[in-house]
């Protein structure tokens, strides 16, 4: 699905001229492009959205234009952001507009100090640059400038960018003064006089449009909105991007743990949106009955595979004996192994009835990985299997590895883990810059652990000479350009690392969990790297959202 161009109109006060800007821009754009409007957070009783829809000239549905209400957003902003992203992409796929005007929250009698930041974060989630509408009423020119600066900073911190500015509520006396005040910002800016606008009032809407058209150069604003802006990848946009990419590939994934409520809830979500095809291991009638009790409506779209299906058991046992003949596999041993749901599910992948497998909500990592290692095996260029996490930070995504499998990798294995992790980064749209981590930065410390990382870095350079790599390097010098400027001066990768390779399992596992819990980063994974076909392991504490994400990334990996 190709994404439309969009921008988000935000105002510190969510009033005092913002609606004049929104109405004027929608009218202007609708004469040049197929235009849609989107309200991430809007009361279901407000009427101004109807005026905006009418101005587009398109047959937009209010249900598709509004995503969630202010009360829901206040109660659980994280859940609301997920709902908003989903609703936005549904709008795009339904109407395929050329440009979408997104309008932030309306003025409310409930004071919420976090509201502007939430609006800015939503703009970043939707990869939408921001048009600021800042009111000049009651402000001096200097106060206006400082207000604009503060809100530009807030938008940038959220991961979006301001591309244009409207100064509203101006008088004839201060129209030019206010515009001159923001000249140091080097931002396209327009001043608009104070206009009263009431939703549904034809005369007010006409006055608003006249005020807008009289003070805005249409060619200049179209040019400003066409300029590309550097936008961040937020956890919400990345996770939804996973679902979109998985939907495009439409692979078949096996879920061996059909008796777990979290698994079938996840399956219901994935099937309802046609993101993947699923084979659920278990008895169809029992799983559907459980789903009915949980209020799930889409489970019957899955395929179900009973572990008591004699025809399937015969085929699997025969294949197992063929694959494990040198290990002394017999028909009796094969049938015994196939009583394990992980073994059974893995054989569905081996038989090419499915493209990948997700397990571990009930079973241990060992139970998930062992059948994969024995039956699917590693890629020809991989010496080991490793585990990586996609760490979704506020404004970007990084890869952490190995956080799941290898206790103390040797230099060759560490280099292999780094190469696998770079490949994983590319698969998810990340241009890899690899840092092999240590307590030493480029020779600042000595010891056998540093020597191991130095050797691994040399091996990786030889294996992939074009891959940007730095090592050994401390985490702060890998992460921060400021620290890198003193600790690794002149190194082009230091300070810009997005693939972090830890020297052993203790370091990697502790680091990803510490970062996840202390920073609020979303950890997606582990992704098992190096296998011929994707098999991914869940934590036994996995939430439904974690399972959905893991199934999606498994489909993409396939």
């Amino acid at each position: 699905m190709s994404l439309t161009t969009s921008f988000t109109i935000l105002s510190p006060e969510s009033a005092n001229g913002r609606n004049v800007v929104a109405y004027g821009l929608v009218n202007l754009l609708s004469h040049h492009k197929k235009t849609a409007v989107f309200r991430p957070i809007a009361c279901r009783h407000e009427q101004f959205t109807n005026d905006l829809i009418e101005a587009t000239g398109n047959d937009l549905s209010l249900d598709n234009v509004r995503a969630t209400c202010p009360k829901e957003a206040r109660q659980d902003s994280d859940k609301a952001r997920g709902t908003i992203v989903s609703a936005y992409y549904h709008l795009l796929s339904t109407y395929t507009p050329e440009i979408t005007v997104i309008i932030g929250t309306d003025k409310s009698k409930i004071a919420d100090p976090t509201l502007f930041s939430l609006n800015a974060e939503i703009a970043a989630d939707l990869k939408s640059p921001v048009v600021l509408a800042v009111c000049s009423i009651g402000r001096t020119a200097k106060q206006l400038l400082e207000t604009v600066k503060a809100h530009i900073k807030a938008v940038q911190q959220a991961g979006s960018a301001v591309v244009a500015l409207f100064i509203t509520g101006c008088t004839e006396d201060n129209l030019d003064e206010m515009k001159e005040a923001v000249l140091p910002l080097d931002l396209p800016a327009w001043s608009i006089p104070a206009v009263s606008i009431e939703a549904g009032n034809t005369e007010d809407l006409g006055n608003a449009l006249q005020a807008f058209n009289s003070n805005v150069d249409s060619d200049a604003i179209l040019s400003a909105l066409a300029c590309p802006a550097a936008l961040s990848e937020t956890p919400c946009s990345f996770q939804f991007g996973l679902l979109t990419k998985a939907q495009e590939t439409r692979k078949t994934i096996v879920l061996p743990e059909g008796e777990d409520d979290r698994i079938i809830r996840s399956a219901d979500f994935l099937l309802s949106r046609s993101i993947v095809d699923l084979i659920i291991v278990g008895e169809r009638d029992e799983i559907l009955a459980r789903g009915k009790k949980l209020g799930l409506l889409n489970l019957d779209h899955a395929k179900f595979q009973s572990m008591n299906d004699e025809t399937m058991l015969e085929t699997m046992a025969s294949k197992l004996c063929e694959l494990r003949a040198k290990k002394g596999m017999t028909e009796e041993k094969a049938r015994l192994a196939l009583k394990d749901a992980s073994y059974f599910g893995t054989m569905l992948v081996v038989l090419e009835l499915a493209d990948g497998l997700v397990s571990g909500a009930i079973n241990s990592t060992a139970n998930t990985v062992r059948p994969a290692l024995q039956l699917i095996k590693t890629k020809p260029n991989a010496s080991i299997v490793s585990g990586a996490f996609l760490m979704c930070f506020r404004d970007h995504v990084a890869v952490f590895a190995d956080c799941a499998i290898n206790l103390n990798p040797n230099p060759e294995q560490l280099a292999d883990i780094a190469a696998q992790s770079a490949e994983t980064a590319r698969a998810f749209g990340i241009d890899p810059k690899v840092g092999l981590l240590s307590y030493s930065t480029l020779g600042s410390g000595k010891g056998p652990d540093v020597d191991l990382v130095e050797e691994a870095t040399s091996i990786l350079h030889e294996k992939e000479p074009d891959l940007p790599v730095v090592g050994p390097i401390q985490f702060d010098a890998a992460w921060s350009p400021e620290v890198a400027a003193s600790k690794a001066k002149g190194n082009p990768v230091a300070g810009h690392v997005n693939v972090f390779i830890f020297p052993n399992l203790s370091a990697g596992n502790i680091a990803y969990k510490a970062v996840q819990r202390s920073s609020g980063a979303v950890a997606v994974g582990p992704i098992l790297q190096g296998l011929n076909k994707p098999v991914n392991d869940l934590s036994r504490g996995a939430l439904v959202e974690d399972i959905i994400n893991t199934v999606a990334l498994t489909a993409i990996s396939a």
Side-chain angles (χ1 to χ4, degrees):
M1 180 179 65
S2 60
L3 301 185
T4 186
T5 302
S6 71
F7 62 89
T8 299
I9 302 171
L10 298 184
S11 166
E13 292 89 7
S14 300
N16 295 342
R18 190 221 48 191
N19 286 358
V20 177
V21 174
Y23 192 69
L25 282 173
V26 170
N27 271 277
L28 170 63
L29 292 165
S30 64
H31 285 89
H32 295 269
K33 297 187 176 211
K34 184 181 179 183
T35 303
V37 294
F38 183 64
R39 303 299 312 275
I41 303 171
C43 177
R44 285 167 176 77
H45 302 294
E46 62 84 32
Q47 296 299 310
F48 182 60
T49 302
N50 292 301
D51 297 324
L52 294 171
I53 290 173
E54 189 174 340
T56 68
N58 291 319
D59 187 25
L60 295 165
S61 161
L62 259 177
D63 289 339
N64 287 334
V65 166
R66 289 185 188 139
T68 191
C69 72
K71 183 179 178 181
E72 290 168 350
R74 285 194 304 273
Q75 288 176 340
D76 191 339
S77 61
D78 288 340
K79 182 180 179 182
R81 287 170 69 180
T83 300
I84 289 162
V85 173
S86 180
Y88 177 66
Y89 284 101
H90 178 71
L91 174 75
L92 298 191
S93 63
T94 303
Y95 293 98
T96 60
E98 293 176 276
I99 191 161
T100 305
V101 183
I102 302 165
I103 300 99
T105 50
D106 297 319
K107 186 177 182 179
S108 172
K109 292 180 180 179
I110 298 174
D112 184 347
T114 67
L115 201 53
F116 185 86
S117 292
L118 176 58
N119 277 290
E121 287 165 352
I122 291 166
D125 290 340
L126 304 182
K127 297 187 177 177
S128 176
V130 169
V131 172
L132 270 182
V134 181
C135 185
S136 63
I137 296 173
R139 291 187 171 113
T140 66
K142 185 177 180 181
Q143 289 167 343
L144 175 77
L145 176 61
E146 293 305 314
T147 299
V148 173
K149 283 181 178 178
H151 287 81
I152 288 175
K153 184 178 180 181
V155 169
Q156 291 172 338
Q157 287 176 337
S160 188
V162 175
V163 293
L165 170 66
F166 285 87
I167 307 162
T168 64
C170 298
T171 65
E172 288 185 10
D173 294 335
N174 72 3
L175 201 70
D176 293 334
E177 179 190 6
M178 291 298 177
K179 189 171 180 179
E180 288 174 8
V182 298
L183 286 176
L185 300 174
D186 193 26
L187 197 65
W190 294 270
S191 301
I192 296 180
V195 180
S196 174
I197 181 170
E198 182 180 338
N201 186 311
T202 305
E203 184 178 351
D204 281 359
L205 293 170
N207 291 336
L209 194 55
Q210 183 179 0
F212 183 90
N213 291 336
S214 299
N215 290 276
V216 174
D217 182 326
S218 59
D219 289 337
I221 186 65
L222 289 171
S223 176
L225 295 177
C227 289
L231 305 179
S232 302
E233 183 81 82
T234 70
C236 200
S237 66
F238 181 77
Q239 288 176 85
F240 195 84
L242 286 180
L243 302 184
T244 304
K245 287 178 184 176
Q247 194 175 44
E248 290 169 355
T249 62
R250 194 66 184 271
K251 297 295 184 181
T252 299
I253 305 301
V254 180
L255 301 176
E257 299 165 322
E259 68 271 37
D260 188 279
D261 285 355
R262 293 166 297 166
I263 293 291
I264 61 173
R265 285 184 189 276
S266 305
D268 186 78
F269 176 92
L270 292 159
L271 293 165
S272 71
R273 289 156 177 80
S274 301
I275 292 166
V276 291
D277 292 324
L278 293 175
I279 299 175
I280 303 176
V281 175
E283 300 302 321
R284 175 188 173 88
D285 292 345
E286 291 177 12
I287 294 171
L288 289 179
R290 180 58 187 162
K292 188 175 181 180
K293 286 184 180 179
L294 295 172
L296 306 179
L297 304 175
N298 301 283
L299 285 178
D300 58 347
H301 296 155
K303 294 178 183 176
F304 295 87
Q305 181 57 62
S306 169
M307 292 177 65
N308 298 313
D309 180 344
E310 183 54 36
T311 302
M312 183 61 72
L313 283 170
E314 234 178 80
T315 304
M316 286 184 175
S318 174
K319 187 67 175 177
L320 257 178
C321 289
E322 176 191 328
L323 291 172
R324 305 282 290 167
K326 292 181 180 178
K327 299 292 183 181
M329 181 63 71
T330 63
E331 171 92 12
E332 185 180 353
K333 288 178 181 178
R335 286 189 173 257
L336 186 63
L338 289 169
K339 292 182 181 295
D340 182 319
S342 293
Y343 249 95
F344 189 94
T346 302
M347 281 304 301
L348 291 172
V349 179
V350 171
L351 294 171
E352 298 187 347
L353 298 172
D355 302 296
L357 175 144
V358 173
S359 185
I362 299 170
N363 292 288
S364 67
T365 296
N367 277 0
T368 300
V369 175
R370 189 183 303 111
L373 288 173
Q374 291 178 357
L375 306 174
I376 293 174
K377 302 184 178 178
T378 58
K379 294 177 180 178
N381 62 344
S383 63
I384 56 170
V385 172
S386 61
F389 280 86
L390 297 172
M391 302 298 292
C392 305
F393 294 96
R394 185 185 182 95
D395 59 356
H396 74 287
V397 179
V399 178
F400 280 23
D402 179 354
C403 306
I405 305 292
N406 298 285
L407 289 172
N408 293 292
N410 61 37
E412 291 79 10
Q413 291 171 329
L414 197 60
D416 204 1
I417 291 166
Q420 291 173 1
S421 301
E423 186 179 338
T424 294
R426 292 188 197 101
F428 292 96
I430 303 166
D431 185 20
K433 296 176 180 62
V434 179
L436 285 90
L437 301 174
S438 176
Y439 58 78
S440 167
T441 294
L442 302 177
S444 66
K446 301 296 180 185
D449 291 342
V450 177
D451 295 340
L452 184 148
V453 177
E454 282 181 347
E455 187 177 345
T457 305
S458 296
I459 294 169
L460 184 59
H461 275 305
E462 290 176 15
K463 286 181 67 173
E464 298 205 26
D466 296 329
L467 180 66
V469 177
V470 60
I473 189 166
Q474 292 164 286
F475 190 95
D476 57 352
W479 177 274
S480 166
E482 291 77 19
V483 176
S486 61
K487 287 189 173 184
K489 191 173 182 179
N491 187 287
V493 181
H496 304 285
V497 169
N498 54 19
V499 178
F500 296 85
I501 306 303
F502 295 87
N504 55 54
L505 182 59
S506 286
N509 194 270
I510 291 167
Y512 105 77
K513 289 185 175 178
V515 169
Q516 177 190 29
R517 297 299 177 183
S518 61
S519 75
V522 176
V524 180
I527 302 166
L528 298 187
Q529 306 176 137
L531 288 167
N532 270 317
K533 292 190 178 181
V535 170
N536 285 316
D537 178 43
L538 298 166
S539 162
R540 277 172 282 183
L543 303 175
V544 169
E545 181 185 17
D546 300 326
I547 298 168
I548 291 168
N549 288 338
T550 304
V551 171
L553 65 86
T554 304
I556 295 165
S557 298

